[in-house]
């Protein structure tokens, strides 16, 4: 009998989402486990993940024999080696390399496991099922807690010499006096244009100016608070999105000079603020590209449900096994 | 009879170099014509180039029937379309698109012509015959009058959606108050780290400081003057290279986050100042990459004679015809 199903896993800082899928991307069963309750104990996390995989296959009414393999999207995941290396948001891989693909495969009785970083997985998902269908050259930018990226060239994810290509969240937007990023460097795109980044900008601006804004009443400002305030017409919050969009657009201009994509595809929590980010982003991008690209590169937003894109993308990896 | 030879053409702002080569890269005949004496008349330039091709084949003792095709490396050249588009340093293509591959092919009696930008051609040359032999993932940076780039991913030049990928000379090194670049944008790498860029830095610094330096005696400072002064131990000139190398290294760090190359390969006139650029470049690069890449990516210098690399690279294109 042909192996007709795959498991897709999206590992995030807080939760890990799993799904069993058929070749059309239809989800037969789905489950979620915590990622952040295992401290630095990678073995314990992998054991829990393996259990969840088995349960999920069971819930789908299938046997392990019907499963072709497991695809995993995970921050700082390496496609070539199957390792997760120095991932600041994963306590069990924050200061070391964890060979997750091998460990998980062994824990589920030898089922093959393919792994890549979460943004690459999302790019594959978007190319197979979403906004990038039919595109051969695009750059996926995930605007979540951090900023991730997956670069697709001629229909294939760019992995580079060592498998770690596509870390555009850690390119520079501020060469001087840049903010400290979670990675240890300063001035990274992620330190400004992630959900956490825009909240940091808000706090800096609140201290520096006396402009009235409902954000002053909030103790721990999140990007969601800023979005809600902008929705109410709060000028301070609208300026925050304008600034963040402008920084993103400038960075996109540099990315275009690299791989000349057909489109930049945006995904993740902060990308939901499309209505406030799109115009400044597009303007800054077109203001900073060479003449040959002005007005030519699209900025599009993911068409997949966030929870689905990464699992679907991860599952697409498994079909290649 | 098999077609055993190819013609390689390297088109620069001032001169165009041609060679007839065999499969090992041995040059049977070589010639040079001016590029800059035709004003905006692209037809006149192509006619002269076609004549030179015929003469060169003749000088090699071959007939057109023995020639497989012609490969061309040219600034702003597009591999997909065979056009040269808005090339600031080529008067006959400065403000328009010239379909050079088609025009040249017709002018030489239908011989097939393949064309790409000069830095891509140099990258192919370096991969086939030079410092990048055996490498599948590297970035070629040409430090000449301008700054060009050729990006190799999995052994192939990255062309992108439209064929114009790899314009890293026009990524930003200075987000605020950046210098005007020849391309019309501000703050481009090329405006600081080309032969012209370092000379501009020298003039700016001379105006701003009273530091003694032999450069003060020179009317039109060139990068060669700065190199010569640095060789004599001139502190001002050494600082110029230090600054330029630092800017380059910071940019390299961003490029690495994109395609995770095995090496950055440097080529062109300014790259001859290796002894002064290498240390600051390497330090700035390693200071600005993610932990996973620290100390891992090499900076290597071209091993080919400058005049040869581009012709050899262009000729390699022709073998694919």
């Amino acid at each position: 009998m042909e192996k007709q199903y795959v498991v897709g896993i999206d590992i995030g800082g807080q939760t890990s989402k799993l799904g069993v899928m058929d070749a059309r991307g239809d989800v037969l069963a789905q489950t979620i486990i915590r990622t952040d309750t295992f401290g630095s104990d990678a073995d314990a996390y992998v054991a829990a993940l393996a259990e969840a995989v088995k349960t999920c296959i069971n819930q789908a009414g299938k046997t392990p024999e019907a499963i072709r393999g497991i695809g995993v999207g995970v921050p700082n995941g390496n496609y070539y080696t199957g390792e997760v290396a120095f991932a600041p948001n994963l306590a069990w891989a924050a200061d070391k390399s964890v060979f997750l693909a091998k460990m998980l495969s062994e824990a589920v009785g030898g089922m093959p496991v393919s792994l890549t970083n979460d943004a690459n997985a999302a790019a594959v998902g978007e190319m197979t099922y979403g906004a990038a269908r039919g595109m051969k050259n695009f750059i996926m930018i995930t605007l979540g807690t951090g900023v991730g990226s997956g670069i697709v060239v001629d229909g294939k994810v760019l992995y580079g010499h060592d498998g770690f290509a596509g870390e555009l969240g850690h390119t520079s937007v501020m060469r001087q006096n840049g903010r400290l990023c979670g990675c240890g460097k300063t001035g990274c795109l992620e330190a400004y244009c992630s959900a956490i980044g825009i909240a940091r900008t808000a706090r800096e601006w609140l201290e520096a100016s006396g402009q009235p804004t409902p954000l002053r009443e909030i103790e721990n400002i999140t990007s969601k608070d800023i979005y809600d305030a902008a929705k109410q017409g709060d000028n301070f919050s609208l300026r925050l999105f304008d600034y963040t969009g402008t920084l993103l657009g400038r960075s996109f201009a540099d990315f275009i000079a690299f791989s000349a994509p057909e489109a930049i595809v945006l995904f993740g929590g902060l990308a939901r603020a499309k209505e406030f980010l799109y115009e400044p982003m597009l303007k800054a991008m077109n203001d900073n590209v060479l003449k040959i690209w002005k007005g030519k590169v699209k900025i599009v937003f993911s068409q997949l449900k966030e929870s689905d894109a990464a699992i679907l993308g991860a599952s697409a990896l498994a079909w290649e096994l």
Side-chain angles (χ1 to χ4, degrees), chain A residues 3-155:
Chain A
K3 292 176 186 296
Q4 303 176 54
Y5 306 94
V6 293
V7 178
I9 305 179
D10 172 43
I11 301 179
Q14 297 179 317
T15 59
S16 302
K17 301 178 189 104
L18 299 78
V20 174
M21 270 149 286
D22 65 18
R24 289 184 315 190
D26 287 337
V27 179
L28 280 70
Q30 211 165 349
T31 188
I32 291 186
I33 64 164
R34 302 287 305 189
T35 309
D36 56 1
T37 50
F38 302 91
S40 62
D41 189 347
D43 289 318
Y45 170 71
V46 172
L49 188 62
E51 269 320 300
V53 168
K54 289 177 200 164
T55 307
C56 206
I57 293 171
N58 209 19
Q59 279 170 354
K62 305 298 164 193
T63 60
E65 287 66 39
I67 307 293
R68 180 117 146 207
I70 301 172
V72 183
V74 54
N76 296 50
N78 187 311
Y79 177 74
Y80 293 147
T81 62
E83 76 193 291
V84 183
F86 302 101
N89 300 320
L90 303 173
W92 41 267
D95 52 7
K96 60 182 184 282
S97 257
V98 172
F99 286 82
L100 186 72
K102 185 165 175 291
M103 288 165 71
L104 180 60
S105 176
E106 284 168 4
V108 293
M111 214 176 277
V113 176
S114 186
L115 170 157
T116 191
N117 86 44
D118 48 347
N120 287 341
V124 173
E126 215 61 52
M127 183 163 52
T128 317
Y129 305 105
R133 247 171 311 178
M135 289 188 197
K136 295 265 183 207
N137 292 276
F138 67 96
I139 298 176
M140 180 94 191
I141 303 285
T142 60
L143 301 173
T145 315
V147 174
S149 66
I151 302 158
V152 173
V153 171
D154 290 340

Side-chain angles (χ1 to χ4, degrees), chain A residues 160-180:
Chain A
H161 176 60
D162 57 12
F164 286 118
E167 286 291 351
L168 300 183
H170 300 285
T171 55
S172 173
V173 284
M174 209 63 73
R175 299 263 179 209
Q176 261 145 7
N177 306 317
R179 276 181 204 160
L180 186 63

